[in-house]
Amino acid sequence: MSSDAHKYVDNAINAFTLIKRLSTDFERLKTVASEPTEFVWDREMIYATEEDLIGATMAISRLQSVYKLNTTHLAEGNLQGVIGFPMTANDCYELALILYKQEDPNISRQAAEWFEAALEKLNNEQNENTFTAIEVMTYIVKSYHRSNINLDIKAYAWAEKLLALKPNDRTDYVTNFYKYAVTRNNTNSTEVASWNKYSALCRGETDVPAASSSKLHCWYLRNIPFLKLAPIKMEEVHKDPNVFIFYDVLSDDEFQNIKTIAGPKLERARIVGDIYAEYRIGKSAWLYNNIDVVAKLRQRTADFTGLNISHAEPLQVLNYGIGGHYIWHYDAFDSGQFNKEDGNRIATVLFYMSDVSQGGATVFAQLNLTVTPKKGSAIFWNNLHPTGEIDKKTLHAACPVLYGSKWVSNIWIHEFGHELLQPCSAI
């Protein structure tokens, strides 16, 4: 794919409309082309599917929720100042309909807003569409009412507009349903607080006290003979737990090599139990120590962390596309979930293999910390207390990629081999 093509699909709105045209729109074209015609399509090519379209829609929904993106701006192709192509009424309608069909109260407000955008464009376009204004308005009413947020007043307002267009339809569910606006809130307050914290940190809304930031330092690491010749720039970004960033520890050639090897192996990332989850959207591959570039990177990791990597896991390579994310989680396992021969994950080293145009930060809930990806750097933290218990302050997440693509890799270092390097504290 050319650089221009990559740049085009780096925009979530462009990606959605392209997938739509290669899935639902193309299916309609094939139906028409089944009649006697000279049109021929490549039956061997893998085209976008409905599942791809749903994935692109949910990515846009996720970006809207986290980064507070305006639906009207998105419908015009404006993604946080990055201008793409405007969406049509049909594009907005299809996106809204997919959100509506998820039957999730948490995204029903977005569905209503996209239906509103579709209605506005429908009134301004000359193109023929397969839906009517009355159908769209009905969906707006239903979507606002389904929302967990106190938006029944909006549903009621749209119901009145709808009834004005259908004055004889007094038996319609709308009349009875909205005789009185209903107020309710079924959302779990803990979940809301957790999501709000995640979203705020992803938007960079952090407030680190000056007294804390003034105690943080930067220096050149020269703790072994090799590093005396080629010291590594090291930045302390948090104390207790200690979180460090090491700069220029991965070259562009190494990244390209790793990307080339990992590319064909990438599969949708799973969570513990080898299952898929909506709170982790990305692709991953595992590269082992028998690959030269991986072996060198692992040795370099041992050099700048000072830890033993003989019991470390293979290099995990991850790619997050538009909307790709991983919600709050710990890297260390709960008791009984890890291999007793290697011990738990004592530390995490996360390499940023690419810059990210917008989004994609690593955030820590209890540390009020946001780390923006910088190509060639690595972030490092300990997951466990000296007692072997999980340090609950290491709860972290990967923010959705708003624009561009995010490549990272990580090495999880395990407890065994550190009995003398990091002995347990006296109890």
Side-chain angles (χ1 to χ4, degrees):
M1 187 185 294
S2 69
S3 59
D4 287 342
H6 273 294
K7 187 175 181 180
Y8 179 84
V9 296
D10 277 348
N11 184 306
I13 300 302
N14 292 346
F16 170 83
T17 55
L18 178 62
I19 291 172
K20 175 178 172 289
R21 282 152 181 70
L22 292 176
S23 54
T24 56
D25 291 358
F26 190 72
E27 284 300 317
R28 297 190 190 105
L29 177 61
K30 286 197 294 185
T31 301
V32 174
S34 63
E35 301 297 328
T37 177
E38 295 181 0
F39 174 77
V40 178
W41 66 87
D42 187 347
R43 298 177 185 273
E44 300 299 322
M45 184 179 293
I46 300 175
Y47 294 96
T49 65
E50 183 180 0
E51 183 179 358
D52 296 321
L53 187 61
I54 293 172
T57 300
M58 298 312 296
I60 291 174
S61 170
R62 196 176 305 122
L63 295 176
Q64 281 192 267
S65 297
V66 173
Y67 298 110
K68 294 184 177 180
L69 304 182
N70 181 283
T71 301
T72 302
H73 293 169
L74 291 176
E76 294 305 315
N78 186 341
L79 182 67
Q80 290 285 74
V82 179
I83 308 301
F85 290 90
M87 299 172 71
T88 64
N90 185 265
D91 292 335
C92 295
Y93 179 79
E94 290 284 349
L95 192 153
L97 196 59
I98 292 172
L99 291 177
Y100 177 81
K101 289 180 178 179
Q102 303 309 304
E103 298 184 357
D104 183 350
N106 296 315
I107 59 176
S108 291
R109 177 177 183 171
Q110 291 177 357
E113 290 176 352
W114 280 105
F115 280 125
E116 288 175 336
L119 183 62
E120 183 176 353
K121 287 179 176 288
L122 181 66
N123 294 332
N124 296 328
E125 287 181 0
Q126 302 299 320
N127 301 332
E128 289 188 10
N129 284 288
T130 58
F131 53 91
T132 66
I134 288 177
E135 287 176 310
V136 178
M137 292 172 71
T138 302
Y139 276 123
I140 293 173
V141 173
K142 292 180 178 180
S143 298
Y144 273 132
H145 178 73
R146 181 188 284 169
S147 175
N148 276 343
I149 307 170
N150 181 18
L151 291 173
D152 272 334
I153 192 65
K154 281 200 169 187
Y156 191 61
W158 275 103
E160 287 185 327
K161 294 178 184 179
L162 183 57
L163 287 172
L165 296 176
K166 302 170 64 180
N168 299 323
D169 197 4
R170 291 291 170 180
T171 59
D172 191 271
Y173 80 97
V174 172
T175 305
N176 296 323
F177 217 48
Y178 297 102
K179 188 175 182 180
Y180 302 102
V182 182
T183 302
R184 69 197 183 284
N185 190 344
N186 301 321
T187 307
N188 183 292
S189 59
T190 302
E191 291 180 359
V192 170
S194 176
W195 179 260
N196 289 343
K197 181 71 173 180
Y198 172 66
S199 301
L201 288 172
C202 287
R203 293 191 299 269
E205 298 172 5
T206 56
D207 184 19
V208 180
S212 298
S213 60
S214 64
K215 297 177 182 178
L216 303 175
H217 301 89
C218 295
W219 61 90
Y220 282 99
L221 188 65
R222 297 184 175 91
N223 60 327
I224 62 172
F226 175 75
L227 292 180
K228 292 183 185 299
L229 298 174
I232 292 176
K233 184 179 179 181
M234 179 178 177
E235 179 183 2
E236 183 182 38
V237 293
H238 196 275
K239 292 180 181 289
D240 187 29
N242 294 327
V243 181
F244 300 102
I245 299 177
F246 298 91
Y247 292 94
D248 300 321
V249 293
L250 181 73
S251 71
D252 190 58
D253 286 343
E254 288 174 319
F255 159 59
Q256 293 298 336
N257 196 352
I258 291 172
K259 181 181 177 182
T260 300
I261 297 171
K265 304 175 185 291
L266 288 173
E267 296 180 345
R268 181 173 171 182
R270 296 175 171 88
I271 61 170
V272 175
D274 201 30
I275 58 177
Y276 300 121
E278 286 303 312
Y279 62 80
R280 188 185 191 189
I281 302 296
K283 294 184 176 182
S284 68
W286 297 89
L287 301 185
Y288 292 84
N289 202 29
N290 59 347
I291 301 171
D292 185 58
V293 65
V294 175
K296 290 180 179 178
L297 187 59
R298 286 170 67 90
Q299 181 55 54
R300 193 175 309 136
T301 300
D303 291 341
F304 67 73
T305 63
L307 297 180
N308 186 326
I309 61 165
S310 60
H311 290 268
E313 295 179 39
L315 182 72
Q316 181 180 211
V317 181
L318 300 113
N319 176 232
Y320 294 97
I322 300 298
H325 74 143
Y326 192 0
I327 203 68
W328 298 125
H329 64 283
Y330 298 103
D331 284 348
F333 296 109
D334 290 327
S335 178
Q337 289 188 324
F338 54 85
N339 185 338
K340 299 296 183 181
E341 295 180 358
D342 295 321
N344 209 342
R345 291 169 173 169
I346 194 173
T348 295
V349 181
L350 178 65
F351 296 93
Y352 295 119
M353 302 199 296
S354 66
D355 294 316
V356 182
S357 300
Q358 294 186 47
T362 304
V363 295
F364 293 79
Q366 297 190 39
L367 309 186
N368 205 29
L369 177 64
T370 299
V371 178
T372 302
K374 181 173 176 56
K375 187 176 182 179
S377 67
I379 181 173
F380 167 79
W381 68 89
N382 285 313
N383 296 306
L384 306 176
H385 289 296
T387 59
E389 297 175 307
I390 296 177
D391 188 339
K392 297 298 184 180
K393 294 180 182 178
T394 62
L395 184 69
H396 63 285
C399 296
V401 175
L402 179 57
Y403 184 84
S405 179
K406 174 184 174 183
W407 284 87
V408 296
S409 61
N410 68 271
I411 296 176
W412 282 309
I413 302 171
H414 284 249
E415 290 177 282
F416 277 39
H418 298 95
E419 294 82 1
L420 298 179
L421 291 173
Q422 292 192 343
C424 295
S425 58
I427 298 177

